[in-house]
Amino acid sequence: MNRRILLVLGVVFAVLIGITYLQSRPTAPVIPTQDRFTSFIGRDLNMTVLDIQAIRLRDPQSDKSFVISRDANGNWTAPDSEGSLDTTAASNIAKTVVAMPYSQSVSLEVNPDLTQYGFLPNGSLLVDIVLNHTSEGHAIAVGGLSPNGLEYYVLVDDKPQVLLIQRGAVDYLKSLVAKPPLT
């Protein structure tokens, strides 16, 4: 009888330790499900590939950057780089920036703590865009990965919301900062 009581108490004790451990772990930011929708950065910014004059991709950790811009004939060039630009890759960069899909957004309160979204302090990728004709600019700041590892937290311009951008688009742009498409 005493062995049975000790066994039951041991199991209860182990369960309590497990619950305590799970409750002490930091929780990821929760994005409400009522804000779920699918959209694209370009549509939100009223921007198409043909509207883009220049794009700068910058890694804030290493401060490495890669810039592409259009020449007078509308062809993509890499003015700050040596070598020949792969113009198909440059076109794909512009398409990726415009078509970055996001699935959710969450409104931010005044003076939010952005560290919970992976901005420590600047995030993992900065994308600056200059548009033709108006010289209007847009900024996209990429933070950390979401808890599921499938999306990045993103800030666009000075909008008071965080978007969840699909990982593939961001990983592609990050890879081009590390290894620009030049020959």
Coordinates of all heavy atoms in Angstrom, one line a residue, residues 6 25 44 49 55 58 69-70 76 78 85 91 98 100 106 133 135 153 159 170:
L6 N 3.4 6.1 -2.7 CA 4.6 6.8 -3.1 C 4.7 6.9 -4.6 O 5.1 7.9 -5.1 CB 5.8 6.0 -2.6 CG 6.1 6.1 -1.1 CD1 7.2 5.2 -0.7 CD2 6.4 7.6 -0.7
R25 N 8.2 29.3 -19.3 CA 8.8 29.6 -20.6 C 8.2 30.9 -21.2 O 7.0 31.1 -21.0 CB 8.5 28.5 -21.6 CG 9.3 27.2 -21.3 CD 9.1 26.1 -22.2 NE 8.8 26.4 -23.6 CZ 8.2 25.7 -24.4 NH1 7.8 24.5 -24.1 NH2 8.0 26.1 -25.7
D44 N -0.8 46.8 -51.1 CA -1.0 47.7 -50.0 C -0.3 49.1 -50.2 O -0.9 50.1 -49.8 CB -0.5 47.1 -48.7 CG -1.4 46.0 -48.2 OD1 -2.4 45.7 -48.8 OD2 -1.0 45.4 -47.1
V49 N 5.8 46.4 -60.1 CA 7.2 46.3 -60.5 C 7.7 47.4 -61.4 O 8.8 48.0 -61.2 CB 7.5 44.9 -61.2 CG1 8.9 44.8 -61.8 CG2 7.2 43.8 -60.2
I55 N 16.0 49.6 -55.6 CA 15.8 48.8 -54.4 C 17.1 48.6 -53.7 O 18.1 48.3 -54.4 CB 15.2 47.4 -54.7 CG1 13.8 47.6 -55.4 CG2 15.1 46.6 -53.5 CD1 13.3 46.2 -56.0
R58 N 19.5 45.5 -47.4 CA 20.6 45.7 -46.4 C 20.4 44.8 -45.2 O 19.4 44.7 -44.6 CB 20.6 47.2 -45.9 CG 21.8 47.5 -45.1 CD 22.0 49.0 -44.8 NE 21.0 49.6 -44.0 CZ 21.1 49.6 -42.7 NH1 22.1 49.1 -42.0 NH2 20.1 50.2 -42.0
S69 N 19.1 49.5 -59.5 CA 18.3 50.6 -60.0 C 18.1 50.6 -61.5 O 18.8 49.8 -62.2 CB 18.9 52.0 -59.6 OG 20.1 52.1 -60.2
R70 N 17.2 51.3 -62.0 CA 17.0 51.4 -63.4 C 17.8 52.5 -64.1 O 17.9 53.6 -63.5 CB 15.5 51.6 -63.7 CG 14.6 50.4 -63.3 CD 13.2 50.6 -63.8 NE 12.3 49.7 -63.1 CZ 11.9 48.5 -63.6 NH1 12.4 48.1 -64.8 NH2 11.0 47.8 -63.0
W76 N 17.7 47.2 -65.5 CA 18.2 47.1 -64.2 C 19.7 47.1 -64.2 O 20.4 46.5 -65.1 CB 17.8 45.8 -63.5 CG 16.3 45.8 -63.1 CD1 15.4 45.0 -63.7 CD2 15.7 46.5 -62.1 NE1 14.2 45.3 -63.1 CE2 14.4 46.2 -62.1 CE3 16.2 47.5 -61.2 CZ2 13.5 46.8 -61.2 CZ3 15.3 48.0 -60.3 CH2 13.9 47.7 -60.3
A78 N 23.3 47.6 -61.3 CA 23.8 47.5 -60.0 C 24.9 48.6 -59.8 O 26.1 48.3 -59.9 CB 24.4 46.1 -59.6
L85 N 25.4 42.6 -63.7 CA 24.2 42.3 -63.0 C 23.4 41.2 -63.8 O 23.2 41.4 -65.0 CB 23.3 43.5 -62.7 CG 22.0 43.3 -62.1 CD1 22.1 42.7 -60.7 CD2 21.2 44.5 -62.1
S91 N 15.1 41.5 -61.9 CA 13.7 41.5 -62.1 C 12.9 40.7 -61.1 O 11.9 41.1 -60.5 CB 13.3 41.0 -63.5 OG 12.0 41.0 -63.7
V98 N 7.4 43.3 -54.5 CA 6.0 43.7 -54.8 C 5.0 42.6 -54.3 O 4.0 42.9 -53.7 CB 5.8 44.0 -56.3 CG1 4.3 44.1 -56.6 CG2 6.5 45.3 -56.6
M100 N 5.4 40.2 -52.0 CA 5.6 39.6 -50.7 C 4.3 39.3 -50.1 O 3.5 40.2 -49.7 CB 6.4 40.5 -49.8 CG 7.9 40.4 -49.9 SD 8.5 41.3 -48.4 CE 10.2 41.4 -49.0
V106 N -1.2 42.5 -37.1 CA -1.7 42.9 -35.7 C -1.3 44.4 -35.5 O -0.2 44.8 -35.9 CB -1.0 42.0 -34.7 CG1 0.5 42.2 -34.6 CG2 -1.6 42.3 -33.3
H133 N 9.1 58.4 -61.1 CA 8.2 59.6 -61.3 C 8.0 60.4 -60.0 O 8.2 61.6 -60.0 CB 6.9 59.3 -61.9 CG 7.0 58.4 -63.1 ND1 7.7 58.8 -64.2 CD2 6.6 57.2 -63.4 CE1 7.7 57.8 -65.1 NE2 7.0 56.8 -64.6
S135 N 9.4 59.8 -56.9 CA 10.6 59.6 -56.0 C 10.1 59.3 -54.6 O 10.9 59.4 -53.6 CB 11.5 60.8 -56.0 OG 12.1 61.0 -57.3
Y153 N 8.3 38.4 -39.0 CA 7.6 39.6 -38.6 C 8.1 40.8 -39.4 O 9.3 40.9 -39.5 CB 7.8 39.9 -37.1 CG 7.1 38.8 -36.2 CD1 7.9 38.0 -35.5 CD2 5.7 38.7 -36.1 CE1 7.3 37.0 -34.7 CE2 5.2 37.8 -35.3 CZ 5.9 36.9 -34.6 OH 5.4 36.0 -33.8
K159 N 3.6 52.4 -40.6 CA 2.3 51.8 -40.3 C 2.3 51.2 -38.9 O 3.3 50.5 -38.6 CB 1.8 50.8 -41.3 CG 1.6 51.5 -42.7 CD 1.2 50.5 -43.7 CE 1.2 51.3 -45.0 NZ 0.2 51.0 -45.9
V170 N 11.4 36.4 -48.0 CA 12.4 37.0 -47.2 C 13.8 36.3 -47.3 O 14.8 36.9 -47.5 CB 12.0 37.2 -45.7 CG1 13.1 37.7 -44.8 CG2 10.7 38.0 -45.6

